[in-house]
Structure formats: C-alpha cells, structure tokens
Amino acid sequence: MTKRGLALLLVGLLPGLLLGGCMQATLAPSSNASLTPRDRQLLAHTPYAPASIPETFRRHIVDYTRKEQPGTILVDTNARYLYYVLPGGKAIRYGVTVGEEALAWSGVATVGRMAEWPDWIPTAEIQARLGPYPKRVAGGPANPLGARALYLYEGNKDTLYRIHGTNQPEYIGQAISSGCIRMTNEDIIDLVNRVKLGAIVVVLPPGRTA
C-alpha cells in the first residue's frame, strides 16, 4: 500500500476510533421498554400530553460504584434518580418524581408485590389532603399509578409506598408527589420487566446522595 493510501485508511478509521473511545466515557441508552399489546393500546390513548423529558432524566446505563448487589433498586431522592443495579459496576438510571420533603419516605424495603395497570385506592390521608376521590380508581392511562406498580414492604407489612408509573410525566425530575416514586410509564414497564419479587429497595433520605 502506498503512503497516501495508508494515510487515507487511517483518516477513515480515525472517526470510528474516536467515537469508540468517546462512547466508553458517555452515557449509553438502555434498550426500549418491552410493551405488551395492551400497553401499546392504552398508551396510544393517554389523556395527558406527551412530555419532553430532559436528557439527564431519560433511561441510561451508567457506571455504579456503590456496593449494592445486582438486582437491587436504589432511589437517590436528592438527585431524582432511581438505579437498577446491574453486574459489572453498571446500573440503569431512570429519572423519577419523588415525594415532597415532608412526605418523602426513606429506608430499606423489599418488593412485596407487582401489578400491571393497577387500580388505585386513595388512602385516608390522601383523601383528607387532596380529595375527594372515588374509593377505587380503575387501572388505565388516567390512573395516577400508571402502567405498573411495585409495592414496598417492610417484612410482611405494606409500607403504603409505591414505585409506579404516572399520568403526569411532565413532573419527572421534581419533588411533588405524596411520597411515592413516580416514573414514566415506559420506564416503569422497563423496570418491572427486570425486577424480581423480593428485590431490595433502598431509598436514600433527603440530604444524602448516591
């Protein structure tokens, strides 16, 4: 090969080499959520407008240096992120809505139950503070619990806190909920497809960060 040909070959390879190095140092989006036919039907007729989620709160694969075991969920309340821990020092990071400071729950729990397009039963406290609501709201795209819900338990006791979808995706990245952790419906579907019943959930209190 001539010197000119070698030079052209190197020039052609250089962008790929630079991109490869760059990709290792940047966030990489995870796979798309696996939607069922029912998911696609319900999400195609939502009563809320599509929201533009800032890039930092979209689903990404990131480096993870904490010591939680793969399969653990960690919620960084301050940063408005939820991490699903993967093997090899990685995690999937999702943007979330967290509870207002006075209403936020923190601690260690387990996933005691999972539900698809769950009904919502407003607690007496929510009825008093935000109601009136019906005693039960049927599952669907207008339901505040969204497409999926993870029910957090301490031992055999339901904490009444959930990680769930939302019909208000425009609030992802903010602290406005009644204490539960909200995700976009696409993200909660993705998370539930990965989580095992009994998985550990760590919710950091305000003032602590991952």
Side-chain angles (χ1 to χ4, degrees):
M1 181 180 292
T2 67
K3 289 183 178 180
R4 186 172 184 275
L6 180 59
L8 289 173
L9 177 62
L10 290 174
V11 168
L13 289 175
L14 187 57
L17 294 171
L18 290 176
L19 181 61
C22 180
M23 288 300 288
Q24 293 174 6
T26 58
L27 302 178
S30 71
S31 61
N32 292 328
S34 179
L35 305 180
T36 67
R38 185 186 182 202
D39 293 333
R40 295 183 190 279
Q41 179 184 13
L42 292 177
L43 291 175
H45 300 93
T46 57
Y48 53 84
S52 179
I53 308 297
E55 179 65 25
T56 187
F57 292 118
R58 295 180 188 176
R59 191 186 333 138
H60 290 86
I61 296 174
V62 298
D63 292 330
Y64 190 83
T65 58
R66 287 175 58 98
K67 302 303 182 184
E68 284 79 19
Q69 294 297 308
T72 301
I73 293 171
L74 181 132
V75 178
D76 186 334
T77 303
N78 268 10
R80 323 293 197 242
Y81 289 135
L82 180 150
Y83 296 87
Y84 178 73
V85 183
L86 301 172
K90 299 290 183 180
I92 301 176
R93 190 186 72 190
Y94 307 84
V96 297
T97 304
V98 300
E100 299 172 32
E101 186 168 353
L103 302 171
W105 177 85
S106 61
V108 179
T110 58
V111 176
R113 187 162 77 89
M114 297 187 281
E116 178 177 322
W117 294 101
D119 290 353
W120 178 49
I121 303 173
T123 64
E125 185 274 333
I126 288 177
Q127 289 282 17
R129 191 167 60 87
L130 300 175
Y133 289 109
K135 290 184 178 180
R136 180 184 292 270
V137 179
N143 189 304
L145 295 184
R148 303 285 190 276
L150 300 175
Y151 295 74
L152 306 188
Y153 279 64
E154 291 178 327
N156 294 322
K157 182 181 178 182
D158 186 350
T159 66
L160 301 182
Y161 287 94
R162 318 286 186 236
I163 299 171
H164 61 80
T166 185
N167 57 5
Q168 296 178 307
E170 67 272 18
Y171 292 127
I172 296 296
Q174 300 183 40
I176 63 142
S177 78
S178 297
C180 293
I181 307 301
R182 304 182 194 173
M183 308 173 69
T184 66
N185 286 318
E186 292 78 8
D187 280 354
I188 189 64
I189 291 170
D190 183 84
L191 179 64
V192 167
N193 285 342
R194 302 173 190 276
V195 170
K196 304 297 184 185
L197 200 64
I200 295 173
V201 180
V202 179
V203 180
L204 300 179
R208 289 187 58 190
T209 183

